[in-house]
Amino acid sequence: MVGICNERYVAMEVEKMEPVLPQMKRTVDLMREQNIKVVTGRWLIEGYPKVVLFDLDSAWDKYNSWSWELFDKTGIGIPDHDNETKRCVLFGFLTAWFLGEFRAQCGKKSVIIGHFHEWLGVGLLMCRMREIDISTIFTTHATLLGRYLCAANVDFYNNLDKFKVDIEAGNRQIYHRYCMERAATHSAHVFTTVSDITALEAQHLLKRKPDLILPNGLSIKNTQCMHEFQNLHAIAKEKIHNFVRGHFYGHFDLNLDKTLYMFIAGRYEYSNKGADLYIEAMSRLNHRLKVGGGEVTVVAFLIFPASTNNFNVESLKGQAVVKQLKETVDVIKDDIGHKLFDLCLRGKLPNEEQLLDRDHVIKLKRCMYANQCSSLPPIVTHNMTDDANDPILKQIRECNLFNARSDRVKLIFHPEFLSQTSPLISMDYDEFVRGCHLGVFPSYYEPWGYTPAECAIKGIPSVTSNLSGFGCFMQSHLSDPEAYGIYIIDRRFKSQDPAFKWLSRSYLYHFCRMTRRERIIQRNRTERLSEFLDWSRLGMYYTNARRLAIDRTHPEFLETTRSFSPTGSVRLPRPYSAPSSPFGSRIASPCPSDAEEDNKVFDEDDGDSGLHTSNLVSTDTESMMSSATTTNDVISNASSDA
């Protein structure tokens, strides 16, 4: 992997070591002789990948000549005020320099593949302009212009074919960046993107249809015993219980056995991430639960990093008060236990006065009086910098969701990434996800969407949309996504109001009506999708892209020449244990589980694997291809700084 050297992170995240490959070592030494600082080693993350990192500050003296070469060969000029793009140019030219030197060291008998990501495609452009013998792949994870257009709340997908892209980019002062991205798109031997919905976007905005779709995967380690994830869910849920007890101190009337935790999380892009749809759906769900009765309460979290001053005093006080009450009760419990044991040992049956003395009562009364609170539980856990104009808080006020006792949906806005060191929710994000019951991500603009995928691998059902890459992927690979706990809202062909109704009534309300046994069975099915989302399976798409790049540049290096499918598909059938009646009808069971059955712990399997090999129908070209000859594969990853 080739990237940018950021000393702040390199010191902690990179194990420095010299390259083992002689050609690579010679290439790095030649660049160092020209006073370019190059760091090589291994990145201390999953997979332990080898990295080559360039310190851009060591190349600033070459910027003027390189920017002129870029303008002379491509006609793309860089504004003087855009320092980010200047750094992109430096990185691109250093990458092209590195690949050129490496090409010369390897000789003509090797194939080198450069895989470039996002709009940082200057390295790809210069490799083609300088006619370096490199097979190039360019992957866009989201078009630059698409991000800007959606941030402006335009009707994006209904006007994709109507945008005047040059004018739109110029109006947003990103025309030079747009030109770099579009030039890289058309210069690459193979152009790819991460999802079908992003492929449509790229076709209209970048004017080239992607050759292949490369879905994003996750590194998954299923080392736990069967159903261990259910036990981990219970442990994480108890930690969320502890936070909820403190957050609603003075107004705690929740039956935690009948409380469901739902959440939305991601970058604070109010409309793009579907936060507006989420809050409105929760408002409508609150009304339906009030009218329908029942004991179910929903605690809905919003995890979006925003500008804050500090923690909310009431939130901190609630956690402190409940902690003190818990410690007091634990002391009294131990004291009562000793007395009970001693009296029983003497053959005496204790009464209430012998167990609970006056000091105990006084201590309990002090804690209970401290637990009183006249104001409503806070909505937000922090003090917002601009509370009055925050879009989430404004919509919550409009929906009158203030965590009153009568509300069956309680909202908690946590404007900060989760951390185990937090004095409020002492959990990291992965553990928090595992403890929730449902993730809700009704995104409007989401080229892929890791959040629902992260829910799936932990066995947590989720709501997504057909405007997200993950939603499109699941629609095309699952015969019945809802049976596997993947609920997909139609936001592409329906207006916002039908989406509100469908989310609140058909998905959220139906989920609230499910019994505990039904939720456990659904989690079993959802967790089985983790194998489906693992890089060990999805990596074949990247193999296809590299083979296609070789086929277009050096077909003689392939053992056989075969056709390349733009998208492979492995379609999972409906689970065997799914109800035989139409799942979409959502008719409640005429014989719901009684309270005793509902409180049982179901550890047995639901008898449905859902991922048997015999159930898979594969049309992937990878399964039909023999491996290519050994190549020196250099992947230029320009999407992140190490």
Side-chain angles (χ1 to χ4, degrees):
M1 298 179 70
V2 179
I4 298 173
C5 177
N6 187 323
E7 288 293 347
R8 177 183 174 186
Y9 297 105
V10 166
M12 298 182 293
E13 300 181 7
V14 176
E15 181 181 358
K16 297 180 181 180
M17 59 181 68
E18 290 300 307
V20 177
L21 193 67
Q23 297 91 330
M24 182 75 70
K25 179 70 167 63
R26 179 60 179 159
T27 299
V28 171
D29 289 341
L30 287 172
M31 296 187 70
R32 287 171 176 166
E33 289 173 5
Q34 298 295 320
N35 298 321
I36 301 298
K37 182 179 179 181
V38 185
V39 176
T40 60
R42 287 186 178 270
W43 197 358
L44 300 178
I45 60 171
E46 187 75 26
Y48 199 45
K50 297 177 181 178
V51 294
V52 177
L53 308 175
F54 302 123
D55 186 346
L56 302 186
D57 291 337
S58 64
W60 272 111
D61 60 321
K62 297 177 173 58
Y63 173 75
N64 289 334
S65 61
W66 284 350
S67 62
W68 172 253
E69 183 181 351
L70 177 67
F71 178 75
D72 183 54
K73 292 183 176 180
T74 67
I76 301 174
I78 309 302
D80 189 59
H81 67 273
D82 193 346
N83 290 324
E84 183 180 6
T85 306
K86 288 181 178 180
R87 291 174 62 82
C88 170
V89 170
L90 289 174
F91 176 61
F93 272 83
L94 287 169
T95 302
W97 181 359
F98 172 80
L99 292 175
E101 292 285 1
F102 187 68
R103 170 78 273 176
Q105 297 296 323
C106 290
K108 296 183 178 180
K109 293 184 179 181
S110 299
V111 175
I112 301 175
I113 301 173
H115 194 155
F116 299 80
H117 294 262
E118 294 290 28
W119 62 276
L120 298 167
V122 175
L124 187 153
L125 287 176
M126 298 319 300
C127 284
R128 297 305 305 274
M129 294 296 103
R130 294 174 177 178
E131 299 183 352
I132 301 173
D133 185 15
I134 300 290
S135 303
T136 57
I137 304 171
F138 180 66
T139 297
T140 179
H141 297 259
T143 67
L144 184 68
L145 182 57
R147 289 189 184 277
Y148 274 82
L149 289 171
C150 284
N153 294 323
V154 301
D155 189 2
F156 184 66
Y157 291 100
N158 289 328
N159 293 287
L160 264 178
D161 57 342
K162 302 179 181 66
F163 288 122
K164 296 180 179 179
V165 292
D166 294 315
I167 295 176
E168 295 288 353
N171 290 341
R172 288 161 177 77
Q173 299 182 4
I174 58 167
Y175 187 66
H176 56 292
R177 297 188 181 191
Y178 169 74
C179 289
M180 291 163 58
E181 182 180 35
R182 185 167 171 177
T185 298
H186 289 269
S187 299
H189 294 109
V190 176
F191 173 51
T192 68
T193 187
V194 296
S195 64
D196 291 324
I197 195 68
T198 311
L200 178 68
E201 175 187 341
Q203 185 176 353
H204 287 288
L205 299 187
L206 298 179
K207 308 303 180 183
R208 179 179 176 181
K209 184 177 180 180
D211 300 298
L212 295 169
I213 303 297
L214 308 183
N216 289 328
L218 294 164
S219 297
I220 300 167
K221 290 185 177 180
N222 284 329
T223 56
Q224 69 255 21
C225 300
M226 186 171 293
H227 300 304
E228 178 64 19
F229 76 96
Q230 296 279 14
N231 297 331
L232 295 175
H233 165 74
I235 294 171
K237 183 173 66 174
E238 183 58 35
K239 291 186 178 181
I240 301 177
H241 283 343
N242 291 335
F243 165 75
V244 168
R245 292 185 182 103
H247 190 80
F248 293 97
Y249 86 100
H251 299 272
F252 186 77
D253 60 348
L254 308 180
N255 180 353
L256 293 181
D257 290 332
K258 299 289 185 180
T259 299
L260 300 178
Y261 297 128
M262 303 180 185
F263 78 101
I264 184 174
R267 293 189 302 273
Y268 197 170
E269 298 175 10
Y270 174 67
S271 298
N272 288 350
K273 296 299 181 183
D276 52 346
L277 197 66
Y278 178 81
I279 296 171
E280 178 62 28
M282 288 300 170
S283 176
R284 299 187 183 198
L285 176 64
N286 183 45
H287 173 72
R288 290 186 66 85
L289 291 176
K290 284 181 179 179
V291 172
E295 300 179 4
V296 173
T297 300
V298 173
V299 177
F301 291 89
L302 299 98
I303 313 294
F304 293 111
S307 178
T308 62
N309 293 323
N310 211 326
F311 293 106
N312 187 311
V313 174
E314 286 300 315
S315 296
L316 291 173
K317 180 181 177 181
Q319 301 301 319
V321 167
V322 171
K323 182 180 179 181
Q324 182 183 12
L325 176 60
K326 178 68 166 58
E327 292 173 350
T328 301
V329 170
D330 286 342
V331 170
I332 295 174
K333 179 181 67 175
D334 292 340
D335 193 16
I336 291 176
H338 291 309
K339 290 181 179 179
L340 181 62
F341 175 74
D342 184 64
L343 290 171
C344 290
L345 191 63
R346 299 172 186 275
K348 299 179 181 179
L349 188 64
N351 56 39
E352 181 181 350
E353 293 180 354
Q354 290 176 306
L355 295 180
L356 194 65
D357 59 32
R358 185 176 180 181
D359 288 340
H360 293 160
V361 174
I362 292 174
K363 289 179 180 179
L364 289 175
K365 285 183 177 181
R366 283 179 178 175
C367 292
M368 291 173 63
Y369 292 158
N371 195 36
Q372 295 177 351
C373 182
S374 58
S375 60
L376 292 175
I379 298 290
V380 62
T381 59
H382 293 60
N383 295 322
M384 302 293 291
T385 302
D386 191 3
D387 183 288
N389 296 314
D390 183 81
I392 286 180
L393 295 181
K394 286 175 67 176
Q395 187 180 0
I396 290 175
R397 295 185 189 106
E398 292 171 359
C399 294
N400 290 319
L401 286 174
F402 298 123
N403 293 343
R405 284 185 180 271
S406 59
D407 287 332
R408 301 327 304 156
V409 174
K410 317 285 189 179
L411 289 184
I412 300 176
F413 179 23
H414 189 275
E416 189 177 69
F417 285 125
L418 297 173
S419 171
Q420 287 184 330
T421 60
S422 170
L424 297 178
I425 309 178
S426 301
M427 308 171 69
D428 59 24
Y429 178 74
D430 287 345
E431 189 178 16
F432 174 80
V433 170
R434 196 179 288 278
C436 289
H437 296 92
L438 182 70
V440 185
F441 315 103
S443 304
Y444 181 75
Y445 184 77
E446 190 72 80
W448 175 246
Y450 270 113
T451 43
E454 289 166 340
C455 286
I457 67 173
K458 293 175 177 60
I460 305 302
S462 62
V463 178
T464 183
S465 77
N466 60 354
L467 291 181
S468 73
F470 178 82
C472 293
F473 181 80
M474 286 301 173
Q475 274 188 324
S476 63
H477 288 76
L478 299 180
S479 298
D480 188 353
E482 294 178 18
Y484 287 95
I486 307 296
Y487 302 96
I488 302 173
I489 299 175
D490 184 0
R491 296 201 66 182
R492 183 175 177 185
F493 302 107
K494 290 185 179 180
S495 61
Q496 199 170 46
D497 191 61
F500 287 144
K501 294 179 180 177
W502 193 258
L503 176 58
S504 62
R505 180 176 60 190
S506 300
Y507 289 158
L508 300 183
Y509 185 66
H510 167 73
F511 189 84
C512 293
R513 296 290 299 274
M514 294 173 67
T515 64
R516 185 169 182 265
R517 180 189 180 96
E518 290 170 338
R519 292 198 304 271
I520 289 173
I521 291 174
Q522 187 181 60
R523 283 200 296 272
N524 285 337
R525 296 190 195 134
T526 304
E527 194 271 341
R528 294 186 186 109
L529 294 178
S530 60
E531 176 185 331
F532 195 56
L533 298 169
D534 194 2
W535 273 122
S536 62
R537 180 183 295 274
L538 298 182
M540 62 186 178
Y541 292 92
Y542 280 76
T543 302
N544 276 353
R546 292 164 190 169
R547 287 181 60 84
L548 181 56
I550 297 173
D551 184 61
R552 290 181 174 178
T553 55
H554 299 283
E556 68 277 7
F557 281 89
L558 293 177
E559 294 179 357
T560 56
T561 302
R562 299 181 184 271
S563 60
F564 291 83
S565 170
T567 56
S569 69
V570 178
R571 195 165 181 84
L572 270 65
R574 184 183 182 83
Y576 298 138
S577 63
S580 57
S581 58
F583 192 77
S585 62
R586 291 179 172 74
I587 298 176
S589 171
C591 300
S593 303
D594 55 30
E596 182 179 351
E597 181 184 1
D598 220 30
N599 288 328
K600 291 181 181 178
V601 177
F602 294 92
D603 286 334
E604 69 273 10
D605 196 356
D606 63 338
D608 167 42
S609 70
L611 282 176
H612 294 304
T613 306
S614 59
N615 292 342
L616 300 180
V617 180
S618 174
T619 58
D620 287 292
T621 57
E622 175 64 18
S623 61
M624 301 182 291
M625 294 181 180
S626 59
S627 60
T629 55
T630 304
T631 62
N632 291 317
D633 184 6
V634 176
I635 304 174
S636 177
N637 188 336
S639 61
S640 61
D641 296 356

